[in-house]
Amino acid sequence: MSVQAWTWILVGITFALYFGIAIWARAGSTKEFYVAGGGVSPLANGMATAADWMSAASFISMAGLISFMGYDGSVFLMGWTGGYVLLALLLAPYLRKFGKFTVPDFIGDRYYSNTARTVAVICALIVSFTYVAGQMRGVGIVFSQFLQVDINIGVIIGMSVVLVFAFLGGMKGITYTQVAQYCVLIFAFMVPAFFISMQMTGNPIPQIGMGGKVEGGAFLLDKLDTLHTQLGFNEYTDGTKSTWDVFAITLALMVGTAGLPHVIVRFFTVPKVKDARKSAGLALLFIAILYTTAPAIAVFARTNLIETVSETPYTDVPEWFKNWENTGLIAWSDKNNDGKIQYVAGSALDGKKPVYMAERGTHGERMISNANDGKNELYVDRDIMVLANPEIANLPNWVIALVAAGGLAAALSTAAGLLLVISTSISHDLIKKQIKPNISEKGELWAARISILVAIIIAGLFGIYPPGFVAAVVALAFGLAAASFFPAIILGIFDKRMNRQGAVTGMIVGITLMLFYMIRYKTGLIGVMDARPASEWWFGTSPEGFGTIAMIVNVVVSVVVSRLTAAPPEDVQEIVEHIRIPSGAGDASSH
């Protein structure tokens, strides 16, 4: 059976499962829509949290990033897993005890201010839309390759699927759909890893196989280092980033994780404070299965790619290469007319999107207009490494199709969670809390559903017309969360003296500074036509790591302003004292 036939079967089965769960778990109240009724078990919530967290970035892109970055890619592993330790210890139990539906709800009530609530809503929308752009594009990439449809059609199909289970079920439908999606995506990620690890090293456990020996007796990582140096790259196991930038990116990803609204809201769905802590621990365990496998996938994919295409005549490359070339995610330019694919360091297309011409080359390859003369060049989009890996390794067609189903599950689960945050921020924190406090529960539920519809249209437009910095969009979303939410939440829990003036000022300063830096050094829209070079980074900090600096500025501004202005009311200080003891919490409420 062909890959496409297997893909239609597996994607069809999984989508039918998602739709069935959405219909079964449809929400009948705002509490079910916002926090799944507050009765989700820690095990189910842990799996749903893991699926919510392991987005297209984790499933599709992370191993691809590590595959190309080598040692430097470890920042994603350390930052994104370390963030869950922060969540479990410093945030989840205390926020659950506070008993609110959303992060803006917590900030609005803790800082006794609708201004603070509105600023938090704006921050939530900026973070969520920045994050969701990558998810919708990931859906389009999977559909375009495996279902042989246009990438924009793929985005529209993905929008329609998410709309059904988010519109019907809210958090209740999304939670149980995400449990199923976690099972699909983790199975889809691990099966090819077992196959390829056994194929390359004789050990079926990829985490061990990565450090094992290959045919000929050499260690796999030593072999990859040799391949890299022969092609002019740095050794795979050596890093090029400065120690400070590694630290800054890791910390930004950690505190960004702890400040992401679509992750935090999951801990309002469990019955008790103890369950929130259990959920965070189980989520970390479920996430670790994928995150400890990703470096192995990266090593396998990088080795196979180099050995398959380097110095290979274009007429002899496997069919998968030409299939991905047709999607525009692989490109080759035969500038010296030798008909061979050369993959070497210093290619003008390294990290640069190809611009295609209408005509084909003499060998049938797609022609590129922005390639340098006299030098063969190869472009491989990092996002395809996980998806193409089973094809590169000649695995069975059903395994290739399974990866497609897993990639869709990862992208759709996170997109649904983000869209729910956007919808609740508008319907609950803006309409219910500020614009129309006397709105009926039915009216609020419809406002939430209409908000989801509008949000998914905007998210789809992000997928069809992605911003120029979409390659790093997820890391930047974490920087925005770190710069805005994390200080307000952590100081709101542990600093009784923190008041609304300090929190509001800190959030505005933090997210403004992060947006300025992100736009200036990623898109070049502020002051210059092109993004500024790395040599001009402030303190040698990349845009992905600047969330750490923006967060520190937020904390300093918040503390200073709060000490120069009036203390919070006594009743607010008593609430802070109360939530520090993570026991005896009641149900999540909308008051």
Side-chain angles (χ1 to χ4, degrees), residues 195-209:
F195 268 101
I196 298 172
S197 182
M198 187 69 187
Q199 186 184 80
M200 294 183 71
T201 69
N203 192 314
I205 303 173
Q207 293 89 337
I208 298 174

Side-chain angles (χ1 to χ4, degrees), residues 31 35 37-40 45 87 90-101 106 264-277 279 493 578-579 581-589:
K31 187 174 181 182
V35 291
V40 180
N45 197 50
L87 262 176
L90 297 182
L91 296 184
Y94 306 104
L95 289 173
R96 176 60 190 86
K97 183 156 191 183
F98 200 81
K100 295 298 173 182
F101 282 159
F106 166 80
I264 290 173
V265 73
R266 293 237 52 95
F267 300 107
F268 299 136
T269 66
V270 292
K272 295 178 291 187
V273 171
K274 181 172 68 173
D275 295 333
R277 199 184 291 276
S279 292
I493 293 171
H578 178 64
I579 65 173
I581 305 169
S583 62
D587 292 337
S589 62

Side-chain angles (χ1 to χ4, degrees), residues 192-232:
F194 293 144
F195 268 101
I196 298 172
S197 182
M198 187 69 187
Q199 186 184 80
M200 294 183 71
T201 69
N203 192 314
I205 303 173
Q207 293 89 337
I208 298 174
M210 179 177 66
K213 293 183 177 180
V214 294
E215 187 177 345
F219 285 100
L220 176 58
L221 287 171
D222 288 338
K223 178 181 180 180
L224 184 53
D225 277 343
T226 301
L227 289 172
H228 257 230
T229 54
Q230 287 174 347
L231 298 175

Side-chain angles (χ1 to χ4, degrees), residues 399-417:
V399 178
I400 299 169
L402 182 64
V403 172
L408 289 171
L412 294 175
S413 62
T414 302

Side-chain angles (χ1 to χ4, degrees), residues 54-343:
M54 290 190 293
S55 61
S58 292
F59 188 97
I60 297 174
S61 300
M62 185 175 66
L65 283 170
I66 298 170
S67 184
F68 281 77
M69 294 174 68
Y71 178 84
D72 288 337
S74 62
V75 295
F76 298 104
L77 302 172
M78 295 186 293
W80 285 340
T81 50
Y84 267 86
V85 178
L86 284 182
L87 262 176
L89 297 178
L90 297 182
L91 296 184
Y94 306 104
L95 289 173
R96 176 60 190 86
K97 183 156 191 183
F98 200 81
K100 295 298 173 182
F101 282 159
T102 65
V103 173
D105 212 5
F106 166 80
I107 289 175
D109 282 16
R110 164 60 181 86
Y111 295 114
Y112 50 98
S113 166
N114 274 339
T115 301
R117 190 189 308 275
T118 302
V119 171
V121 168
I122 293 169
C123 291
L125 294 178
I126 292 172
V127 170
S128 298
F129 274 122
T130 304
Y131 203 156
V132 83
Q135 311 311 314
M136 301 314 295
R137 196 64 177 173
V139 171
I141 289 172
V142 176
F143 273 126
S144 68
Q145 170 62 9
F146 292 103
L147 300 185
Q148 298 299 303
V149 297
D150 181 78
I151 192 167
N152 294 339
I153 299 297
V155 170
I156 293 169
I157 295 171
M159 288 166 54
S160 304
V161 174
V162 174
L163 181 63
V164 171
F165 54 77
F167 191 87
L168 284 177
M171 180 58 83
K172 185 179 179 184
I174 287 171
T175 295
Y176 294 106
T177 303
Q178 286 174 336
V179 171
Q181 286 168 332
Y182 174 77
C183 296
V184 172
L185 75 87
I186 202 66
F187 186 69
F189 197 82
M190 296 304 297
V191 167
F194 293 144
F195 268 101
I196 298 172
S197 182
M198 187 69 187
Q199 186 184 80
M200 294 183 71
T201 69
N203 192 314
I205 303 173
Q207 293 89 337
I208 298 174
M210 179 177 66
K213 293 183 177 180
V214 294
E215 187 177 345
F219 285 100
L220 176 58
L221 287 171
D222 288 338
K223 178 181 180 180
L224 184 53
D225 277 343
T226 301
L227 289 172
H228 257 230
T229 54
Q230 287 174 347
L231 298 175
F233 297 102
N234 291 322
E235 286 191 350
Y236 186 84
T237 53
D238 275 351
T240 59
K241 288 184 177 293
S242 68
T243 302
W244 159 249
D245 199 35
V246 167
F247 171 79
I249 295 173
T250 302
L251 185 58
L253 294 175
M254 283 180 65
V255 297
T257 298
L260 279 178
H262 75 289
V263 174
I264 290 173
V265 73
R266 293 237 52 95
F267 300 107
F268 299 136
T269 66
V270 292
K272 295 178 291 187
V273 171
K274 181 172 68 173
D275 295 333
R277 199 184 291 276
K278 282 182 181 176
S279 292
L282 287 167
L284 183 59
L285 174 64
F286 294 138
I287 290 165
I289 297 172
L290 186 146
Y291 271 52
T292 56
T293 307
I297 293 272
V299 169
F300 300 152
R302 184 71 172 171
T303 305
N304 275 335
L305 175 70
I306 292 173
E307 290 190 319
T308 302
V309 303
S310 187
E311 293 298 326
T312 301
Y314 180 81
T315 51
D316 294 340
V317 294
E319 194 62 30
W320 66 263
F321 184 98
K322 296 178 181 178
N323 289 341
W324 282 105
E325 187 185 25
N326 289 335
T327 68
L329 299 174
I330 281 181
W332 170 67
S333 174
D334 186 22
K335 288 297 180 180
N336 62 6
N337 296 315
D338 68 351
K340 291 184 178 180
I341 298 172
Q342 274 96 41
Y343 182 41

Side-chain angles (χ1 to χ4, degrees), residues 362-410:
T362 55
H363 307 287
E365 77 275 15
R366 296 188 68 180
M367 296 290 286
I368 306 167
S369 63
N370 62 330
N372 281 357
D373 289 336
K375 183 178 181 182
N376 283 14
E377 293 162 355
L378 177 69
Y379 167 81
V380 181
D381 192 297
R382 299 177 182 189
D383 286 346
I384 74 167
M385 293 307 293
V386 169
L387 299 174
N389 201 23
E391 295 177 89
I392 299 172
N394 290 315
L395 296 187
N397 287 345
W398 68 268
V399 178
I400 299 169
L402 182 64
V403 172
L408 289 171

